[in-house]
């Protein structure tokens, strides 16, 4: 937990339900559906370890929940359940809607809330703590990624529409988000760029860092 005299914060890890053929699809040509699924699980657990090491509360937000738990999901579920983490389900049609809903809900209980994707193992504990600290002076913090998006978004204040009409999955995501934040009258801070895992070369980079 954070120090008692510090504002409370929570990390929200976003993750796709593990299902072969549905996760890390850009890795499938090289790894196959099962290999891509295994990569997804390994990345998810790496991010979870990093966030749990920050000392702040962590919640785990699935893109959906399935009643029938496949064997492939067991390793993630065991870690999440074993750590006693609160689990949520992302709400909304677009990624922007889902992140906005999660941030808004969490800010009812915490001073600061931060979303990290499960393909962002470069968000190490120190980087994550730096993001929390930035929210003492800014409404929003963004961790840019090398591909034009971001590996992290955190907020101490949100405004409706701040993540609307963004071309998710394109190199314009960060720039468009900054434009939306400016329009919404929200101050924001950009951390140093990091990387996420989408393409085979990203996966190779992750393996080199393990």
């Amino acid at each position: 937990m954070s120090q008692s005299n510090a504002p409370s914060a929570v990390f929200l890890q976003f993750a796709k339900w593990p299902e072969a053929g549905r996760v890390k699809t850009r890795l499938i040509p090289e790894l196959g559906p099962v290999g891509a699924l295994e990569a997804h699980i390994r990345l998810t657990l790496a991010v979870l370890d990093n966030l749990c090491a920050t000392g702040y509360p962590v919640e785990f937000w699935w893109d959906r929940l399935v009643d029938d738990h496949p064997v492939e999901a067991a390793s993630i579920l065991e870690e999440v359940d074993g750590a006693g983490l609160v689990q949520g389900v992302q709400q909304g049609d677009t990624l922007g809607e889902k992140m906005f809903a999660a941030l808004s809900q969490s800010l009812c209980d915490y001073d600061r809330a931060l979303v990290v994707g499960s393909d962002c193992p470069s968000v190490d504990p120190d980087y994550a703590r730096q993001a929390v600290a930035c929210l003492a002076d800014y409404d929003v913090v963004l961790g840019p990624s090398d591909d034009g998006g971001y590996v992290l978004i955190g907020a101490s204040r949100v405004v409706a529409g701040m993540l609307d009409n963004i071309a998710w999955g394109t190199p314009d995501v960060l720039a468009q988000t900054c434009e939306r934040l400016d329009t919404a009258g929200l101050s924001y801070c950009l951390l140093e760029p990091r990387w996420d895992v989408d393409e085979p070369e990203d996966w190779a980079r992750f393996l080199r860092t393990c």
Side-chain angles (χ1 to χ4, degrees):
M1 294 290 290
S2 58
Q3 297 178 1
S4 58
N5 61 343
S8 61
V10 62
F11 283 96
L12 315 173
Q13 181 173 346
F14 270 31
K16 286 187 176 180
W17 185 260
E19 181 181 324
R22 187 174 172 271
V23 296
K24 305 316 303 172
T25 54
R26 280 182 270 182
L27 298 182
I28 290 177
E30 181 165 314
L31 303 181
V34 174
L37 172 61
E38 292 172 348
H40 168 72
I41 292 172
R42 188 167 174 182
L43 289 166
T44 299
L45 294 176
V47 171
L48 182 60
D49 284 346
N50 281 340
L51 296 183
C52 287
T54 63
Y56 288 99
V58 177
E59 296 182 2
F60 201 89
W61 287 63
W62 298 100
D63 70 329
R64 59 174 181 160
L65 282 179
V66 179
D67 291 335
D68 182 22
H69 293 172
V71 173
E72 294 82 4
S75 57
I76 298 177
L77 290 167
E78 287 172 2
E79 289 290 331
V80 172
D81 292 339
L85 303 185
V86 171
Q87 297 183 58
V89 179
Q90 302 162 31
Q91 302 294 323
D93 294 326
T94 67
L95 179 58
E97 290 174 355
K98 293 175 180 179
M99 292 194 298
F100 179 79
L103 291 170
S104 300
Q105 180 177 327
S106 298
L107 287 175
C108 294
D109 299 313
Y110 295 90
D111 296 328
R112 307 168 189 181
L114 304 96
V115 172
V116 179
S118 288
D119 58 357
C120 303
S122 63
V123 178
D124 58 54
D126 287 341
Y127 189 84
R129 293 189 198 100
Q130 182 185 355
V132 173
C134 286
L135 291 174
D137 301 310
Y138 297 91
D139 298 318
V140 176
V141 61
L142 295 164
S145 64
D146 293 340
D147 61 6
Y150 38 89
V151 297
L152 172 153
I153 181 171
S156 57
R157 185 168 75 94
V158 293
V159 172
M162 59 181 274
L163 297 177
D164 287 353
N165 301 316
I166 292 172
W168 302 105
T170 73
D172 300 321
V173 168
L174 178 64
Q176 290 179 351
T177 299
C178 292
E179 290 175 2
R180 302 296 179 275
L181 297 177
D182 284 332
T183 300
L186 293 168
S187 62
Y188 60 89
C189 171
L190 300 181
L191 301 177
E192 65 182 48
R194 290 294 170 98
W195 52 276
D196 56 11
V197 177
D198 287 319
E199 305 291 344
E201 56 266 31
D202 303 323
W203 175 242
R205 182 178 186 176
F206 169 71
L207 294 178
R208 291 195 300 270
T209 66
C210 295

Coordinates of all heavy atoms in Angstrom, one line a residue, residues 33-122:
P33 N -1.8 -20.0 -33.2 CA -2.8 -19.6 -32.3 C -2.4 -20.0 -30.8 O -2.6 -19.2 -29.9 CB -4.1 -20.3 -32.7 CG -3.9 -20.5 -34.2 CD -2.4 -20.8 -34.3
V34 N -1.9 -21.2 -30.6 CA -1.6 -21.6 -29.3 C -0.4 -20.9 -28.8 O -0.3 -20.5 -27.6 CB -1.4 -23.2 -29.2 CG1 -0.9 -23.6 -27.9 CG2 -2.7 -23.9 -29.6
G35 N 0.6 -20.7 -29.6 CA 1.8 -20.0 -29.2 C 1.5 -18.5 -28.9 O 2.0 -18.0 -27.9
A36 N 0.6 -17.9 -29.6 CA 0.2 -16.5 -29.3 C -0.6 -16.5 -28.0 O -0.4 -15.5 -27.3 CB -0.7 -16.0 -30.5
L37 N -1.4 -17.5 -27.8 CA -2.1 -17.5 -26.5 C -1.1 -17.7 -25.3 O -1.2 -17.0 -24.3 CB -3.1 -18.7 -26.5 CG -3.7 -19.0 -25.1 CD1 -4.6 -17.8 -24.6 CD2 -4.6 -20.3 -25.3
E38 N -0.1 -18.5 -25.5 CA 0.9 -18.7 -24.4 C 1.7 -17.4 -24.2 O 2.0 -17.0 -23.1 CB 1.8 -19.8 -24.8 CG 1.2 -21.2 -24.8 CD 2.1 -22.3 -25.3 OE1 3.1 -21.9 -25.9 OE2 1.7 -23.4 -25.2
A39 N 1.9 -16.6 -25.3 CA 2.6 -15.3 -25.2 C 1.7 -14.4 -24.4 O 2.2 -13.6 -23.5 CB 2.9 -14.8 -26.6
H40 N 0.4 -14.4 -24.7 CA -0.5 -13.5 -24.0 C -0.5 -13.8 -22.5 O -0.5 -12.8 -21.7 CB -1.9 -13.7 -24.6 CG -3.0 -13.1 -23.8 ND1 -3.3 -11.7 -23.7 CD2 -4.0 -13.7 -23.0 CE1 -4.3 -11.5 -23.0 NE2 -4.8 -12.7 -22.5
I41 N -0.6 -15.0 -22.2 CA -0.6 -15.4 -20.7 C 0.7 -15.0 -20.1 O 0.7 -14.4 -19.0 CB -0.8 -16.9 -20.6 CG1 -2.2 -17.3 -21.1 CG2 -0.6 -17.4 -19.2 CD1 -2.5 -18.8 -21.2
R42 N 1.8 -15.2 -20.7 CA 3.1 -14.8 -20.1 C 3.2 -13.3 -19.9 O 3.7 -12.8 -18.9 CB 4.2 -15.4 -21.0 CG 5.6 -15.2 -20.4 CD 6.7 -16.0 -21.2 NE 8.0 -15.7 -20.7 CZ 9.1 -16.3 -21.2 NH1 9.0 -17.1 -22.3 NH2 10.3 -16.0 -20.8
L43 N 2.8 -12.6 -20.9 CA 2.8 -11.1 -20.8 C 1.9 -10.6 -19.7 O 2.3 -9.7 -18.9 CB 2.4 -10.5 -22.2 CG 3.4 -10.6 -23.3 CD1 2.8 -10.3 -24.6 CD2 4.6 -9.7 -23.1
T44 N 0.7 -11.2 -19.7 CA -0.3 -10.8 -18.7 C 0.3 -11.0 -17.2 O 0.2 -10.1 -16.4 CB -1.6 -11.6 -18.8 OG1 -2.1 -11.3 -20.1 CG2 -2.6 -11.2 -17.7
L45 N 0.9 -12.1 -17.0 CA 1.5 -12.4 -15.7 C 2.7 -11.5 -15.4 O 2.9 -11.1 -14.2 CB 1.9 -13.9 -15.6 CG 0.7 -14.9 -15.7 CD1 1.3 -16.3 -15.7 CD2 -0.2 -14.6 -14.5
A46 N 3.5 -11.2 -16.4 CA 4.6 -10.2 -16.2 C 4.1 -8.9 -15.8 O 4.7 -8.2 -14.9 CB 5.5 -10.2 -17.5
V47 N 3.1 -8.4 -16.5 CA 2.5 -7.1 -16.1 C 1.9 -7.1 -14.7 O 2.1 -6.2 -13.9 CB 1.5 -6.6 -17.1 CG1 0.7 -5.4 -16.7 CG2 2.1 -6.4 -18.5
L48 N 1.2 -8.2 -14.4 CA 0.7 -8.3 -13.1 C 1.7 -8.3 -12.0 O 1.6 -7.6 -11.0 CB -0.1 -9.6 -13.0 CG -0.9 -9.9 -11.7 CD1 -1.9 -8.8 -11.4 CD2 -1.6 -11.3 -11.7
D49 N 2.8 -9.0 -12.2 CA 3.9 -8.9 -11.2 C 4.5 -7.5 -11.0 O 4.7 -7.1 -9.9 CB 5.1 -9.9 -11.7 CG 4.8 -11.3 -11.5 OD1 3.8 -11.6 -10.8 OD2 5.5 -12.2 -12.1
N50 N 4.6 -6.8 -12.1 CA 5.2 -5.4 -12.0 C 4.2 -4.5 -11.3 O 4.7 -3.8 -10.4 CB 5.4 -4.8 -13.4 CG 6.6 -5.3 -14.1 OD1 7.5 -5.8 -13.5 ND2 6.7 -5.2 -15.4
L51 N 2.9 -4.6 -11.5 CA 2.0 -3.7 -10.9 C 1.8 -4.1 -9.4 O 1.8 -3.2 -8.5 CB 0.6 -3.8 -11.6 CG 0.6 -3.3 -13.0 CD1 -0.8 -3.3 -13.6 CD2 1.1 -1.9 -13.1
C52 N 1.8 -5.4 -9.1 CA 1.7 -5.8 -7.7 C 3.0 -5.4 -6.9 O 2.9 -5.2 -5.6 CB 1.5 -7.3 -7.6 SG -0.1 -7.8 -8.1
A53 N 4.1 -5.2 -7.6 CA 5.3 -4.7 -6.9 C 5.4 -3.2 -6.6 O 6.3 -2.8 -6.0 CB 6.5 -5.1 -7.7
T54 N 4.4 -2.5 -7.1 CA 4.4 -1.0 -6.8 C 4.1 -0.7 -5.4 O 4.4 0.4 -4.9 CB 3.4 -0.3 -7.8 OG1 2.1 -0.8 -7.4 CG2 3.7 -0.6 -9.2
G55 N 3.4 -1.6 -4.7 CA 2.9 -1.2 -3.4 C 1.5 -0.6 -3.3 O 1.0 -0.4 -2.3
Y56 N 0.9 -0.4 -4.5 CA -0.4 0.1 -4.6 C -1.4 -1.0 -4.9 O -1.0 -2.0 -5.4 CB -0.5 1.2 -5.7 CG 0.2 2.5 -5.4 CD1 1.5 2.7 -5.9 CD2 -0.4 3.5 -4.6 CE1 2.1 3.9 -5.6 CE2 0.2 4.7 -4.3 CZ 1.5 4.9 -4.8 OH 2.1 6.1 -4.6
P57 N -2.7 -0.8 -4.5 CA -3.7 -1.8 -4.9 C -3.8 -2.0 -6.4 O -3.5 -1.1 -7.2 CB -5.0 -1.2 -4.4 CG -4.6 -0.1 -3.4 CD -3.3 0.4 -3.8
V58 N -4.1 -3.2 -6.8 CA -4.2 -3.6 -8.2 C -5.6 -4.3 -8.4 O -6.0 -5.1 -7.5 CB -3.1 -4.5 -8.6 CG1 -3.3 -5.0 -10.1 CG2 -1.7 -3.9 -8.4
E59 N -6.3 -3.9 -9.4 CA -7.5 -4.6 -9.8 C -7.3 -5.1 -11.2 O -6.5 -4.6 -12.0 CB -8.7 -3.6 -9.8 CG -9.0 -3.1 -8.4 CD -10.2 -2.2 -8.4 OE1 -10.8 -2.0 -9.4 OE2 -10.5 -1.6 -7.3
F60 N -8.0 -6.2 -11.5 CA -7.8 -6.9 -12.8 C -9.1 -6.8 -13.5 O -10.2 -7.4 -13.1 CB -7.5 -8.4 -12.5 CG -6.8 -9.1 -13.7 CD1 -5.4 -9.0 -13.8 CD2 -7.5 -9.7 -14.6 CE1 -4.8 -9.6 -14.9 CE2 -6.9 -10.3 -15.7 CZ -5.6 -10.3 -15.8
W61 N -9.1 -6.2 -14.7 CA -10.3 -5.9 -15.5 C -10.3 -6.7 -16.8 O -9.5 -6.4 -17.7 CB -10.4 -4.4 -15.8 CG -10.8 -3.6 -14.6 CD1 -10.1 -3.5 -13.4 CD2 -12.0 -2.8 -14.4 NE1 -10.7 -2.6 -12.5 CE2 -11.9 -2.2 -13.1 CE3 -13.1 -2.6 -15.2 CZ2 -12.9 -1.4 -12.6 CZ3 -14.1 -1.7 -14.7 CH2 -14.0 -1.1 -13.5
W62 N -11.1 -7.7 -16.9 CA -11.2 -8.5 -18.1 C -12.1 -7.8 -19.1 O -12.9 -7.0 -18.8 CB -12.0 -9.8 -17.7 CG -11.3 -10.7 -16.8 CD1 -11.6 -10.9 -15.4 CD2 -10.2 -11.6 -17.0 NE1 -10.7 -11.8 -14.8 CE2 -9.9 -12.3 -15.8 CE3 -9.5 -12.0 -18.2 CZ2 -8.9 -13.3 -15.7 CZ3 -8.5 -13.0 -18.1 CH2 -8.2 -13.6 -16.8
D63 N -11.8 -8.2 -20.4 CA -12.7 -7.6 -21.5 C -14.0 -8.3 -21.5 O -15.0 -7.8 -22.0 CB -12.0 -7.7 -22.8 CG -11.8 -9.1 -23.4 OD1 -11.7 -10.0 -22.5 OD2 -11.8 -9.3 -24.6
R64 N -14.0 -9.5 -20.9 CA -15.3 -10.3 -20.7 C -15.0 -11.4 -19.8 O -13.8 -11.7 -19.5 CB -15.7 -10.9 -22.1 CG -14.7 -11.8 -22.7 CD -15.3 -12.5 -23.9 NE -14.3 -13.5 -24.5 CZ -14.5 -14.5 -25.3 NH1 -15.8 -14.7 -25.6 NH2 -13.6 -15.3 -25.7
L65 N -16.0 -12.0 -19.2 CA -15.9 -13.2 -18.4 C -16.7 -14.3 -19.0 O -17.8 -14.2 -19.5 CB -16.4 -12.9 -17.0 CG -15.5 -12.1 -16.0 CD1 -16.2 -11.9 -14.7 CD2 -14.2 -12.8 -15.8
V66 N -16.1 -15.5 -18.9 CA -16.7 -16.7 -19.5 C -16.9 -17.7 -18.4 O -16.0 -18.0 -17.6 CB -15.7 -17.3 -20.6 CG1 -16.4 -18.6 -21.2 CG2 -15.5 -16.3 -21.7
D67 N -18.1 -18.3 -18.3 CA -18.4 -19.2 -17.2 C -17.5 -20.5 -17.3 O -17.1 -21.0 -16.2 CB -19.9 -19.6 -17.3 CG -20.8 -18.5 -17.0 OD1 -20.4 -17.6 -16.2 OD2 -22.0 -18.5 -17.4
D68 N -17.3 -20.9 -18.5 CA -16.5 -22.1 -18.6 C -15.0 -21.7 -18.7 O -14.5 -21.1 -19.7 CB -16.9 -22.9 -19.9 CG -16.1 -24.2 -20.1 OD1 -15.5 -24.7 -19.1 OD2 -16.0 -24.6 -21.2
H69 N -14.2 -22.0 -17.6 CA -12.9 -21.6 -17.6 C -12.0 -22.6 -18.2 O -11.8 -23.7 -17.7 CB -12.4 -21.4 -16.1 CG -13.1 -20.3 -15.4 ND1 -13.0 -20.1 -14.1 CD2 -13.9 -19.3 -15.9 CE1 -13.7 -19.0 -13.7 NE2 -14.3 -18.6 -14.8
P70 N -11.3 -22.3 -19.4 CA -10.5 -23.2 -20.1 C -9.2 -23.4 -19.3 O -8.8 -22.6 -18.4 CB -10.2 -22.5 -21.4 CG -10.3 -21.1 -21.1 CD -11.4 -21.0 -20.1
V71 N -8.5 -24.5 -19.6 CA -7.2 -24.8 -18.9 C -6.3 -23.6 -19.1 O -5.5 -23.3 -18.2 CB -6.6 -26.1 -19.5 CG1 -5.2 -26.3 -18.9 CG2 -7.5 -27.3 -19.2
E72 N -6.3 -23.0 -20.3 CA -5.4 -21.9 -20.6 C -5.5 -20.7 -19.7 O -4.6 -20.0 -19.5 CB -5.6 -21.4 -22.1 CG -5.2 -22.5 -23.1 CD -6.3 -23.5 -23.4 OE1 -7.4 -23.3 -22.8 OE2 -6.1 -24.4 -24.2
A73 N -6.7 -20.6 -19.1 CA -6.9 -19.4 -18.2 C -6.5 -19.7 -16.8 O -6.4 -18.8 -16.0 CB -8.4 -19.1 -18.2
A74 N -6.2 -20.9 -16.5 CA -5.9 -21.3 -15.1 C -4.8 -20.5 -14.5 O -4.9 -20.1 -13.3 CB -5.7 -22.8 -15.0
S75 N -3.7 -20.4 -15.2 CA -2.5 -19.7 -14.6 C -2.8 -18.3 -14.2 O -2.4 -17.8 -13.2 CB -1.3 -19.8 -15.6 OG -1.6 -19.2 -16.8
I76 N -3.5 -17.6 -15.1 CA -3.9 -16.2 -14.8 C -4.9 -16.1 -13.6 O -4.7 -15.4 -12.6 CB -4.5 -15.5 -16.0 CG1 -3.5 -15.4 -17.1 CG2 -4.9 -14.1 -15.6 CD1 -4.0 -14.8 -18.4
L77 N -5.9 -17.0 -13.7 CA -6.9 -17.0 -12.6 C -6.3 -17.3 -11.3 O -6.7 -16.7 -10.2 CB -8.0 -17.9 -13.0 CG -8.9 -17.5 -14.1 CD1 -9.8 -18.7 -14.6 CD2 -9.8 -16.3 -13.7
E78 N -5.4 -18.3 -11.2 CA -4.7 -18.6 -10.0 C -4.0 -17.5 -9.4 O -4.0 -17.2 -8.2 CB -3.8 -19.8 -10.2 CG -4.5 -21.2 -10.4 CD -3.6 -22.3 -10.9 OE1 -2.4 -22.0 -10.9 OE2 -4.1 -23.4 -11.1
E79 N -3.2 -16.7 -10.2 CA -2.5 -15.6 -9.8 C -3.4 -14.5 -9.2 O -3.2 -13.9 -8.2 CB -1.6 -15.1 -10.9 CG -0.4 -16.0 -11.2 CD 0.6 -16.0 -10.1 OE1 0.8 -15.0 -9.4 OE2 1.3 -17.1 -10.0
V80 N -4.4 -14.2 -10.0 CA -5.4 -13.1 -9.6 C -6.1 -13.5 -8.3 O -6.2 -12.7 -7.4 CB -6.4 -12.8 -10.8 CG1 -7.4 -11.9 -10.3 CG2 -5.6 -12.3 -12.0
D81 N -6.6 -14.7 -8.3 CA -7.3 -15.2 -7.1 C -6.4 -15.3 -5.9 O -6.8 -14.9 -4.8 CB -8.0 -16.5 -7.4 CG -9.2 -16.4 -8.4 OD1 -9.7 -15.3 -8.5 OD2 -9.5 -17.4 -9.0
G82 N -5.2 -15.8 -6.1 CA -4.2 -16.0 -5.1 C -3.8 -14.6 -4.4 O -3.5 -14.6 -3.2
A83 N -3.8 -13.6 -5.3 CA -3.4 -12.3 -4.8 C -4.6 -11.5 -4.1 O -4.4 -10.5 -3.6 CB -2.8 -11.4 -5.9
G84 N -5.8 -12.2 -4.2 CA -7.0 -11.5 -3.7 C -7.4 -10.3 -4.4 O -8.0 -9.4 -3.7
L85 N -7.1 -10.2 -5.7 CA -7.4 -8.9 -6.4 C -8.9 -8.8 -6.7 O -9.5 -9.8 -7.0 CB -6.6 -8.9 -7.7 CG -5.1 -9.0 -7.6 CD1 -4.5 -8.8 -8.9 CD2 -4.5 -8.0 -6.6
V86 N -9.4 -7.6 -6.7 CA -10.7 -7.3 -7.2 C -10.7 -7.5 -8.7 O -9.8 -7.1 -9.4 CB -11.1 -5.8 -6.8 CG1 -12.4 -5.4 -7.5 CG2 -11.2 -5.6 -5.3
Q87 N -11.7 -8.1 -9.2 CA -11.8 -8.3 -10.6 C -13.1 -7.6 -11.2 O -14.1 -7.5 -10.5 CB -12.0 -9.8 -11.0 CG -10.8 -10.6 -10.6 CD -10.9 -12.1 -11.0 OE1 -11.1 -12.4 -12.2 NE2 -10.8 -13.0 -10.0
G88 N -12.9 -6.9 -12.3 CA -14.0 -6.2 -13.0 C -14.1 -6.6 -14.4 O -13.2 -7.3 -14.9
V89 N -15.1 -6.1 -15.1 CA -15.3 -6.4 -16.5 C -15.4 -5.0 -17.2 O -16.2 -4.1 -16.7 CB -16.6 -7.2 -16.7 CG1 -16.8 -7.4 -18.2 CG2 -16.5 -8.6 -16.0
Q90 N -14.7 -4.8 -18.2 CA -14.6 -3.6 -18.9 C -16.0 -3.3 -19.6 O -16.6 -4.2 -20.1 CB -13.6 -3.6 -20.0 CG -12.2 -3.9 -19.5 CD -11.2 -4.4 -20.6 OE1 -11.3 -4.0 -21.7 NE2 -10.3 -5.2 -20.2
Q91 N -16.4 -2.1 -19.5 CA -17.8 -1.7 -20.0 C -17.6 -0.6 -21.1 O -16.9 0.4 -20.9 CB -18.6 -1.1 -18.8 CG -18.8 -2.0 -17.7 CD -19.6 -3.2 -18.0 OE1 -20.6 -3.1 -18.8 NE2 -19.3 -4.4 -17.4
G92 N -18.3 -0.9 -22.2 CA -18.2 0.0 -23.4 C -17.9 -0.7 -24.6 O -17.5 -1.9 -24.7
D93 N -18.1 0.0 -25.7 CA -17.9 -0.6 -27.1 C -16.4 -0.3 -27.6 O -15.9 -1.2 -28.2 CB -18.8 0.0 -28.1 CG -20.3 -0.4 -27.8 OD1 -20.5 -1.5 -27.3 OD2 -21.2 0.5 -28.0
T94 N -15.9 0.8 -27.3 CA -14.5 1.1 -27.8 C -13.6 1.1 -26.6 O -14.0 1.1 -25.4 CB -14.4 2.5 -28.4 OG1 -14.7 3.5 -27.4 CG2 -15.5 2.7 -29.5
L95 N -12.3 1.0 -26.9 CA -11.3 1.0 -25.8 C -11.4 2.3 -25.0 O -11.2 2.3 -23.8 CB -9.9 0.9 -26.4 CG -8.7 0.9 -25.4 CD1 -8.9 -0.2 -24.4 CD2 -7.4 0.8 -26.1
G96 N -11.6 3.4 -25.7 CA -11.8 4.7 -25.0 C -12.9 4.7 -24.0 O -12.8 5.2 -22.8
E97 N -14.1 4.1 -24.4 CA -15.2 4.0 -23.5 C -14.9 3.1 -22.3 O -15.3 3.4 -21.2 CB -16.4 3.5 -24.3 CG -17.0 4.5 -25.3 CD -18.1 3.8 -26.1 OE1 -18.4 2.6 -26.0 OE2 -18.7 4.6 -26.9
K98 N -14.2 2.0 -22.6 CA -13.9 1.1 -21.5 C -12.9 1.7 -20.5 O -13.1 1.6 -19.3 CB -13.2 -0.2 -22.1 CG -14.2 -1.0 -22.9 CD -13.5 -2.2 -23.6 CE -14.5 -3.0 -24.4 NZ -13.9 -4.1 -25.1
M99 N -11.9 2.4 -21.0 CA -10.9 3.1 -20.1 C -11.6 4.2 -19.3 O -11.4 4.3 -18.1 CB -9.7 3.5 -20.8 CG -8.9 2.4 -21.4 SD -7.2 2.9 -21.9 CE -7.6 4.1 -23.2
F100 N -12.4 5.0 -20.0 CA -13.1 6.1 -19.3 C -14.0 5.6 -18.2 O -14.0 6.1 -17.1 CB -13.9 6.9 -20.3 CG -14.6 8.1 -19.6 CD1 -14.0 9.2 -19.3 CD2 -16.0 8.0 -19.3 CE1 -14.6 10.3 -18.7 CE2 -16.7 9.0 -18.7 CZ -16.0 10.2 -18.4
A101 N -14.8 4.5 -18.5 CA -15.7 3.9 -17.5 C -14.9 3.4 -16.3 O -15.3 3.6 -15.1 CB -16.5 2.8 -18.1
A102 N -13.8 2.7 -16.5 CA -13.0 2.1 -15.4 C -12.4 3.2 -14.6 O -12.4 3.2 -13.4 CB -11.9 1.2 -16.0
L103 N -11.8 4.3 -15.2 CA -11.2 5.4 -14.5 C -12.3 6.1 -13.7 O -12.0 6.4 -12.5 CB -10.5 6.3 -15.5 CG -9.3 5.8 -16.2 CD1 -8.8 6.8 -17.3 CD2 -8.1 5.6 -15.2
S104 N -13.4 6.4 -14.3 CA -14.5 7.1 -13.6 C -14.9 6.3 -12.4 O -15.1 6.9 -11.3 CB -15.7 7.3 -14.5 OG -15.3 8.1 -15.7
Q105 N -15.2 5.0 -12.5 CA -15.6 4.2 -11.4 C -14.6 4.2 -10.3 O -14.9 4.3 -9.1 CB -15.9 2.8 -11.9 CG -16.4 1.9 -10.8 CD -16.8 0.5 -11.3 OE1 -17.2 0.3 -12.5 NE2 -16.6 -0.5 -10.5
S106 N -13.3 4.0 -10.7 CA -12.3 3.9 -9.6 C -12.0 5.2 -8.9 O -11.7 5.2 -7.7 CB -11.0 3.4 -10.3 OG -11.2 2.1 -10.9
L107 N -12.2 6.3 -9.6 CA -12.0 7.6 -8.9 C -13.1 7.9 -7.9 O -13.0 8.9 -7.2 CB -11.9 8.7 -10.0 CG -10.6 8.7 -10.8 CD1 -10.7 9.8 -11.9 CD2 -9.4 9.0 -9.9
C108 N -14.1 7.1 -7.8 CA -15.1 7.3 -6.8 C -14.6 6.8 -5.4 O -15.0 7.2 -4.4 CB -16.4 6.5 -7.1 SG -17.3 7.2 -8.5
D109 N -13.6 5.9 -5.5 CA -13.0 5.3 -4.3 C -11.5 5.6 -4.1 O -11.0 5.5 -3.0 CB -13.1 3.7 -4.4 CG -14.5 3.2 -4.6 OD1 -15.4 3.7 -3.8 OD2 -14.8 2.4 -5.4
Y110 N -10.9 6.1 -5.1 CA -9.4 6.4 -5.0 C -9.2 7.9 -5.6 O -9.9 8.4 -6.4 CB -8.6 5.5 -5.8 CG -8.6 4.0 -5.3 CD1 -9.6 3.1 -5.7 CD2 -7.7 3.6 -4.3 CE1 -9.6 1.8 -5.2 CE2 -7.7 2.3 -3.8 CZ -8.6 1.4 -4.3 OH -8.6 0.1 -3.8
D111 N -8.1 8.5 -5.1 CA -7.7 9.8 -5.6 C -7.2 9.7 -7.0 O -7.3 10.7 -7.8 CB -6.7 10.4 -4.7 CG -7.2 10.7 -3.3 OD1 -8.4 11.0 -3.2 OD2 -6.5 10.6 -2.3
R112 N -6.5 8.6 -7.3 CA -5.8 8.5 -8.6 C -6.1 7.0 -9.1 O -6.0 6.1 -8.3 CB -4.3 8.7 -8.5 CG -4.0 10.1 -7.8 CD -2.6 10.2 -7.4 NE -2.4 11.4 -6.6 CZ -1.2 11.8 -6.1 NH1 -0.1 11.1 -6.3 NH2 -1.1 12.9 -5.4
A113 N -6.3 6.9 -10.4 CA -6.5 5.6 -11.0 C -5.7 5.5 -12.3 O -5.6 6.5 -13.0 CB -8.0 5.4 -11.3
L114 N -5.1 4.4 -12.5 CA -4.2 4.2 -13.7 C -4.5 2.9 -14.4 O -4.6 1.8 -13.7 CB -2.8 4.3 -13.3 CG -2.3 5.5 -12.5 CD1 -2.4 5.3 -11.0 CD2 -1.0 6.0 -12.9
V115 N -4.7 2.9 -15.7 CA -4.9 1.7 -16.5 C -3.6 1.3 -17.2 O -3.0 2.2 -17.9 CB -6.0 2.0 -17.6 CG1 -6.1 0.8 -18.5 CG2 -7.3 2.3 -16.9
V116 N -3.3 0.1 -17.2 CA -2.2 -0.5 -17.9 C -2.6 -1.7 -18.6 O -3.3 -2.6 -18.1 CB -1.0 -0.9 -16.9 CG1 0.2 -1.5 -17.7 CG2 -0.6 0.3 -16.1
G117 N -2.2 -1.8 -19.9 CA -2.6 -3.0 -20.7 C -1.7 -4.2 -20.4 O -0.6 -4.1 -19.9
S118 N -2.2 -5.4 -20.7 CA -1.5 -6.6 -20.3 C -0.4 -7.0 -21.4 O 0.2 -8.0 -21.2 CB -2.5 -7.8 -20.2 OG -3.2 -7.7 -19.0
D119 N -0.2 -6.1 -22.4 CA 0.9 -6.3 -23.3 C 2.0 -5.2 -23.1 O 2.7 -5.0 -24.0 CB 0.4 -6.3 -24.7 CG -0.4 -5.0 -25.1 OD1 -0.5 -4.2 -24.2 OD2 -0.8 -4.9 -26.3
C120 N 2.0 -4.7 -21.9 CA 3.0 -3.6 -21.6 C 3.9 -4.0 -20.5 O 3.9 -3.3 -19.4 CB 2.2 -2.3 -21.3 SG 1.0 -1.8 -22.5
P121 N 4.8 -5.0 -20.7 CA 5.7 -5.4 -19.7 C 6.8 -4.3 -19.4 O 7.5 -4.5 -18.4 CB 6.3 -6.7 -20.2 CG 6.3 -6.5 -21.7 CD 5.0 -5.7 -22.0
S122 N 7.0 -3.3 -20.2 CA 8.0 -2.3 -20.0 C 7.5 -1.3 -18.9 O 8.3 -0.5 -18.4 CB 8.2 -1.5 -21.3 OG 7.1 -0.8 -21.7

